[in-house]
């Protein structure tokens, strides 16, 4: 049997465009496969600009702590494609094994019979095939892009739809206003199904989401609207809805934004019918949750040994304007606890708003080192990133890669050991974890 890599290389020839939002092609393929999307466990469908993956990570950790099996479909991956498909099992799931993935992809290729289809569409069909053939209690399903015409949006009825914070990203596909993006994300709402709406950074997004949920006959569940609330109190997380009030440990994932994601996850699970999961499972989930490449501190590994003595090394795949704002806030919070120089090591794609992303760090970062993203044709040249950084008011220079950037920082004189944040791209985050020898497991 061909490997999954060989199969996906062939899939690239089936459609000339990497992204082409439509439902017709995947619906045709799913019909030929016997409609595996109709044989899934209850689905919690998650859309949004930022926080989708973290919210799903919280839900999975809580469900598994409660003794339940959760299938998980997320994208993109950091190191290996297999990270996108997690097969649920009681006691903890696992990434799909190579033989199972290759078999599912081969069956999809045969059923597709050479007709046009994108890689994301055919791999989503393969994921549904795998999930339909393995029992589980729930499927946590992340939208790939947008929502309304995303390949994952072929489920007729969901246990719950969730929309995490919305911002401006992928304007070429979703529109260049927050309202337009929110309209696309709201496309996952289903009549008669709960629609959990996380705390939004833009009033316009919240307004659109609530209006469209009401219009379709979904049941909107909103943060701060007497449906549920979440806030920090004395170093802990307090969650409250119409039924319970939970005093919980602060989540293991770093950053104040993770309070929002954790609260959204708890609300979604309760709305989806998992309200009998007790506080003990929620506490264990918050304590054990893992989501690599998102405000992750690298305390071990090859790259962590290249930084100046006493320095901190952090990694985050955030890449859009609002993601940069969230990251800057997290770095500012760390700075209040330990005021040390902040150094950014940044690689960005050419499709991203580099100026908007970098402007968040003006007055916060001591200096910036721009690096290329190896293997990505869409990457913005490092010297261009550095030039944009200078134009927005940051001190910046260029290095040939991550290792060169870290080694260069060892030769730089700082008054105190610095805090180093590598950020700007999930592709860069994956390369960093690989080079560090600490890929997701």
């Amino acid at each position: 049997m061909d490997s999954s890599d060989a199969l996906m290389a062939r899939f690239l020839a089936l459609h000339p465009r990497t992204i082409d939002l439509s439902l017709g092609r995947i619906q045709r393929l799913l019909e030929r496969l016997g409609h595996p999307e109709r044989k899934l466990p209850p689905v919690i469908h998650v859309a949004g600009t930022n926080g989708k993956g973290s919210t799903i990570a919280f839900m999975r950790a809580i469900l598994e702590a409660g003794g339940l099996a959760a299938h998980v479909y997320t994208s993109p991956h950091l190191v290996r494609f297999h990270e996108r498909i997690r097969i649920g099992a009681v006691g903890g799931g696992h990434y799909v094994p190579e033989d199972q993935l290759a078999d599912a992809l081969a069956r999809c290729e045969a059923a597709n019979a050479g007709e046009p289809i994108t890689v994301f569409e055919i791999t989503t069909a393969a994921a549904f095939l795998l999930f339909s053939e393995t029992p589980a209690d729930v499927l946590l399903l992340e939208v790939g892009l947008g929502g309304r015409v995303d390949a994952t949006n072929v489920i007729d009825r969901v246990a719950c739809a969730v929309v995490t914070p919305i911002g401006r990203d992928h304007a070429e596909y979703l529109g260049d206003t927050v309202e337009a993006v929110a309209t696309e994300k709201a496309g996952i709402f289903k009549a008669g199904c709960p629609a959990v709406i996380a705390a939004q950074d833009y009033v316009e997004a919240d307004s659109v989401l609530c209006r469209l949920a009401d219009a379709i006959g979904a049941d909107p569940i909103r943060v701060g609207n007497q449906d549920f609330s979440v806030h920090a109190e004395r170093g802990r997380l307090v969650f409250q809805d119409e039924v319970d009030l939970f005093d919980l440990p602060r989540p293991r994932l770093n950053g104040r934004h993770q309070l929002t994601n954790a609260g959204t996850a708890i609300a979604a699970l309760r709305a989806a019918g998992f309200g009998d999961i007790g506080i003990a499972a929620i506490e264990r989930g918050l304590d054990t949750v893992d989501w690599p490449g998102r405000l992750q501190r690298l305390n071990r590994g090859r790259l962590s040994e290249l930084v100046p003595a006493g320095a901190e090394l952090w990694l985050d795949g955030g890449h859009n304007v609002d993601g940069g704002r969230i990251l800057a806030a997290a770095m500012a919070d760390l700075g209040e606890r330990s005021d040390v120089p902040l150094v950014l090591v940044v690689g960005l794609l050419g499709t991203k708003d580099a100026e908007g992303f970098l402007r968040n760090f003006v007055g916060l970062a001591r200096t910036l080192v721009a690096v290329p993203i190896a293997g990505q044709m869409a990457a913005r040249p490092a010297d261009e990133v550095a030039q944009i950084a200078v134009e927005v008011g940051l001190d910046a220079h260029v290095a040939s890669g991550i290792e060169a950037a870290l080694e260069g920082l060892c030769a730089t004189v700082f008054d105190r050991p610095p805090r180093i944040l590598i950020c700007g791209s999930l592709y860069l985050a994956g390369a960093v974890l690989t080079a560090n020898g600490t890929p997701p497991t």
Side-chain angles (χ1 to χ4, degrees), residues 220-229 239-243 267:
I221 299 171
R222 299 172 60 202
V223 67
N225 191 40
Q226 298 184 339
D227 295 323
F228 74 100
S229 65
F239 174 90
Q240 184 172 10
D241 61 14
E242 295 177 327
V243 178

Side-chain angles (χ1 to χ4, degrees), residues 141-156:
L141 179 64
E142 181 184 356
V143 165
L145 184 64
R148 181 178 60 88
V149 286
D150 182 76
T152 62
N153 199 26
V154 292
I155 311 298
D156 291 333

Side-chain angles (χ1 to χ4, degrees), residues 385-434:
V385 173
Q387 180 60 39
I388 295 171
V390 170
E391 289 172 358
V392 302
L394 291 165
D395 173 74
H397 58 281
V398 175
S400 60
I402 291 293
E403 293 182 22
L406 298 180
E407 289 168 351
L409 291 175
C410 288
T412 304
V413 178
F414 294 99
D415 53 350
R416 285 153 294 172
R419 177 172 293 120
I420 303 166
L421 171 65
I422 304 173
C423 62
S425 168
L426 283 170
Y427 295 107
L428 181 63
V432 167
L433 291 175
T434 299

Side-chain angles (χ1 to χ4, degrees), residues 110-162:
N112 189 62
E115 296 200 44
I117 196 162
T118 68
V119 172
F120 184 73
E121 289 164 350
I122 200 167
T123 53
T124 298
F128 287 160
L129 199 58
L130 289 163
F131 295 145
S132 72
E133 295 170 347
T134 305
D137 297 290
V138 64
L139 165 58
L140 306 176
L141 179 64
E142 181 184 356
V143 165
L145 184 64
R148 181 178 60 88
V149 286
D150 182 76
T152 62
N153 199 26
V154 292
I155 311 298
D156 291 333
R157 185 173 181 82
V158 296
C160 180
V162 183

Side-chain angles (χ1 to χ4, degrees), residues 25-38:
R25 292 180 297 270
I26 190 170
Q27 287 171 333
R28 179 198 69 228
L29 176 55
L30 291 171
E31 181 179 9
R32 293 179 181 178
L33 291 168
H35 287 293
E37 81 282 8
R38 298 177 184 175

Side-chain angles (χ1 to χ4, degrees), residues 14-327:
L14 296 174
H15 198 286
R17 295 172 60 186
T18 303
I19 298 174
D20 183 9
L21 300 178
S22 170
L23 296 180
R25 292 180 297 270
I26 190 170
Q27 287 171 333
R28 179 198 69 228
L29 176 55
L30 291 171
E31 181 179 9
R32 293 179 181 178
L33 291 168
H35 287 293
E37 81 282 8
R38 298 177 184 175
K39 304 168 187 174
L40 300 171
V43 173
I44 299 179
H45 202 186
V46 184
T49 303
N50 294 301
K52 299 188 300 294
S54 296
T55 299
I56 286 177
F58 279 120
M59 288 193 284
R60 177 175 71 83
I62 293 168
L63 288 162
E64 291 181 349
L68 299 177
H71 292 323
V72 183
Y73 186 61
T74 56
S75 61
H77 58 278
L78 291 174
V79 177
R80 298 179 69 230
F81 179 87
H82 304 63
E83 298 165 33
R84 298 183 180 214
I85 302 173
R86 191 176 188 93
I87 306 297
V90 174
H94 57 271
Y95 295 145
V96 59
E98 169 62 19
D99 58 344
Q100 279 186 263
L101 176 59
D103 174 70
L105 291 172
R107 283 186 282 161
C108 289
E109 181 183 42
N112 189 62
E115 296 200 44
I117 196 162
T118 68
V119 172
F120 184 73
E121 289 164 350
I122 200 167
T123 53
T124 298
F128 287 160
L129 199 58
L130 289 163
F131 295 145
S132 72
E133 295 170 347
T134 305
D137 297 290
V138 64
L139 165 58
L140 306 176
L141 179 64
E142 181 184 356
V143 165
L145 184 64
R148 181 178 60 88
V149 286
D150 182 76
T152 62
N153 199 26
V154 292
I155 311 298
D156 291 333
R157 185 173 181 82
V158 296
C160 180
V162 183
V163 177
T164 63
I166 286 174
R168 297 178 180 88
D169 201 4
H170 301 291
E172 65 272 36
Y173 302 107
L174 306 180
D176 58 4
T177 67
V178 168
E179 293 91 340
V181 177
T183 298
E184 291 297 316
K185 308 290 186 183
I188 69 168
F189 294 159
K190 301 291 186 293
C193 301
V196 172
I197 300 171
Q200 297 294 319
D201 298 316
Y202 299 94
V203 174
E204 310 96 301
D206 188 68
S207 176
V208 168
L209 293 171
C210 293
R211 175 172 56 79
L212 293 180
D214 286 333
I216 200 173
D219 178 19
I221 299 171
R222 299 172 60 202
V223 67
N225 191 40
Q226 298 184 339
D227 295 323
F228 74 100
S229 65
V230 58
H231 66 274
E233 186 173 315
R234 295 191 298 275
R236 292 176 65 80
L237 182 152
V238 177
F239 174 90
Q240 184 172 10
D241 61 14
E242 295 177 327
V243 178
D244 290 304
L245 186 151
F246 295 145
D247 180 12
L248 301 162
R250 195 176 182 92
R252 180 171 177 245
L253 299 184
N254 294 292
R256 69 176 83 161
H257 59 290
Q258 296 297 0
L259 300 178
T260 294
N261 295 332
T264 303
I266 297 167
L269 290 175
R270 291 165 74 82
F274 296 97
D276 56 347
I277 291 182
I279 189 171
I282 297 174
E283 289 177 336
R284 284 198 303 276
L286 297 183
D287 279 336
T288 60
V289 63
D290 183 49
W291 191 228
R294 282 75 173 183
L295 211 54
Q296 176 183 1
R297 185 168 179 183
L298 302 179
N299 291 312
R300 60 183 179 85
R302 196 168 67 84
L303 294 183
S304 67
E305 297 170 358
L306 299 180
V307 302
E312 299 176 12
L313 182 60
W314 293 79
L315 175 66
D316 193 279
H319 51 267
N320 55 46
V321 174
D322 292 300
R325 176 180 50 77
I326 290 167
L327 267 179

